Amino acid sequence: MNRRHCAAAAITLACALAVLTAPVQAFAAPPPPSPSASKPASRSEAAKPKKTLEEVRKEIDALYRKAGAATDAYNLAEEKAEKQSGEIVKLARAIVAGQAKIAELKSQAGAQAREQYRSGGLPPGTQLMLSDDPQLFLDGVTRVTEGQRAAQGVLGELTRTQQDLETYTQDAGTNWEKLEASRLKQAEAKRKINAQIAAAKKLESQLKKEERARLLKLEQEAEYKQQTAWLSSGALKDINREASASGKKAVAFATAQIGKPYVWGAEGPGSYDCSGLTSQAWAAAGRPIPRTSQEQWRRLPRIAVKDMRPGDLIIYHGDASHVGMYIGDGAIVHAPRPGRNVTLAGAGSMQILGVVRPDK
């Protein structure tokens, strides 16, 4: 491919970013079908035994867990897309600068060529070397040497700049492909999130008002049971450390968000998902951390549960799909799931995978 065409193509890629980097909006879950539009239940459906509320609770919990894992995938793809978009912009700027440099170097080379043509094919220094005057001869030697170095320097820099331009163009193409891959992952994750949330909401919508109230109570009872078992194990016995200065700031930020709704992919200020809350809390404390719970688990220093202190992050479930911030006294602040608000909960009310410390 012609290098000039490559450069122009890469700039075109960068110009397209305005469209590609537009924020992706979450679609609301579709409303349940009206009774009039519903098909009559088949005999096989009518024969199915009605699920208990506890079974419904577990099914809804599983759906929201899956939505949480997909949200993590969405957030990671979004983070990568933003990084790749930024890289393409930098490369496009480097390409523009490289083109300007090449134009300047070509101008210099052209000036040297024109000067040689005007002097009959011999540079001024060479003409002076042919003089009978010894001093002029010595001056000519110096000028010839300097002229040769200058010409070699221009040609060498021109070659290097052209090579750099080609590399920038290739890198821009590679980042463009990565950007497209990240966008596809975002779209797939979004599809899964909406499907899981829609299924969970459909289950809840089929419950009567009193059943929904009982469902909430069952959720609280399940959390209390797990928290009680965790405390009974003696896990909290040695956890009495004070928060660091940064940890105190992170806790203050996180607890100030209590009552704000959970929205998947949200990073505040009006709503949060679980890792959006913890990442923004630590950013407010002056310690930027990875955006997703899975990346927080993978990249932040891990510590033992018994060594926890306020501000540390507790990662939950085997797939690291949820995170909460420990605030002391066996409690966390977290954004639970769609339909719930940022709240306090028992640190042991969910399956603990491990603990990480952002400011270790």
Side-chain angles (χ1 to χ4, degrees):
M1 181 186 287
N2 183 279
R3 290 172 179 165
R4 185 176 300 174
H5 289 169
C6 288
I11 294 172
T12 302
L13 298 183
C15 293
L17 289 176
V19 177
L20 289 173
T21 55
V24 181
Q25 298 296 324
F27 294 103
S34 62
S36 59
S38 301
K39 294 181 180 179
S42 64
R43 289 184 179 180
S44 59
E45 289 175 334
K48 289 181 180 177
K50 186 176 179 180
K51 294 177 182 177
T52 66
L53 267 180
E54 177 60 15
E55 289 173 332
V56 172
R57 182 194 71 77
K58 288 181 178 179
E59 189 173 348
I60 289 173
D61 184 60
L63 287 167
Y64 280 125
R65 282 273 310 281
K66 290 177 182 177
T71 297
D72 229 35
Y74 174 90
N75 290 335
L76 183 59
E78 183 179 48
E79 189 176 42
K80 286 183 176 179
E82 289 176 359
K83 182 179 179 180
Q84 286 145 7
S85 296
E87 287 299 319
I88 291 176
V89 170
K90 289 179 184 177
L91 288 166
R93 289 172 180 166
I95 288 169
V96 171
Q99 288 177 321
K101 185 66 175 177
I102 285 175
E104 179 186 348
L105 292 169
K106 284 182 177 180
S107 177
Q108 291 179 21
Q112 290 177 349
R114 287 190 296 272
E115 178 61 29
Q116 184 174 348
Y117 176 78
R118 283 196 296 268
S119 59
L122 294 175
T126 303
Q127 292 177 341
L128 290 170
M129 284 181 66
L130 300 177
S131 171
D132 293 333
D133 188 323
Q135 186 58 48
L136 288 177
F137 176 80
L138 291 175
D139 290 343
V141 171
T142 301
R143 291 183 186 181
V144 168
T145 303
E146 291 175 350
Q148 289 175 338
R149 287 176 180 171
Q152 290 173 354
V154 169
L155 292 175
E157 190 171 359
L158 181 60
T159 300
R160 287 193 299 273
T161 304
Q162 288 174 328
Q163 290 173 343
D164 288 344
L165 195 59
E166 188 171 341
T167 299
Y168 294 152
T169 302
Q170 291 173 348
D171 289 347
T174 300
N175 276 279
W176 180 265
E177 292 173 0
K178 290 179 179 178
L179 179 64
E180 285 298 291
S182 293
R183 293 301 190 201
L184 289 174
K185 287 179 181 178
Q186 272 184 280
E188 176 61 16
K190 187 166 96 172
R191 185 192 67 76
K192 289 181 179 179
I193 293 165
N194 284 330
Q196 303 295 348
I197 291 177
K201 286 185 174 181
K202 183 178 179 181
L203 277 175
E204 287 186 275
S205 70
Q206 292 170 346
L207 300 174
K208 296 178 181 178
K209 184 178 179 181
E210 56 270 22
E211 288 178 320
R212 287 197 293 270
R214 176 62 182 155
L215 181 68
L216 177 59
K217 190 173 181 181
L218 285 174
E219 287 180 10
Q220 294 169 341
E221 288 175 353
E223 291 176 0
Y224 177 77
K225 183 178 180 180
Q226 284 190 267
Q227 174 73 354
T228 301
W230 183 68
L231 293 175
S232 299
S233 69
L236 196 61
K237 183 175 64 175
D238 297 324
I239 303 176
N240 57 3
R241 291 164 180 78
E242 290 189 7
S244 64
S246 296
K248 288 177 181 178
K249 291 179 182 178
V251 169
F253 179 95
T255 53
Q257 313 313 310
I258 290 174
K260 294 182 179 180
Y262 176 107
V263 173
W264 68 264
E267 299 177 83
S271 57
Y272 297 88
D273 62 20
C274 65
S275 57
L277 176 65
T278 55
S279 60
Q280 288 301 304
W282 271 101
R287 289 293 188 101
I289 63 173
R291 168 65 177 87
T292 71
S293 59
Q294 291 175 346
E295 286 295 288
Q296 289 169 6
W297 173 242
R298 188 174 71 86
R299 292 167 55 186
L300 295 178
R302 299 179 187 180
I303 62 168
V305 172
K306 64 182 181 63
D307 295 325
M308 274 196 308
R309 68 188 186 194
D312 289 343
L313 305 181
I314 304 180
I315 309 297
Y316 292 98
H317 311 307
D319 58 0
S321 59
H322 191 70
V323 59
M325 179 179 290
Y326 185 65
I327 61 171
D329 296 324
I332 60 166
V333 57
H334 73 142
R337 65 166 176 82
R340 300 288 184 262
N341 298 331
V342 176
T343 188
L344 298 180
S349 60
M350 295 169 281
Q351 178 195 354
I352 295 177
L353 177 62
V355 181
V356 294
R357 177 166 295 165
D359 60 342
K360 184 175 179 180

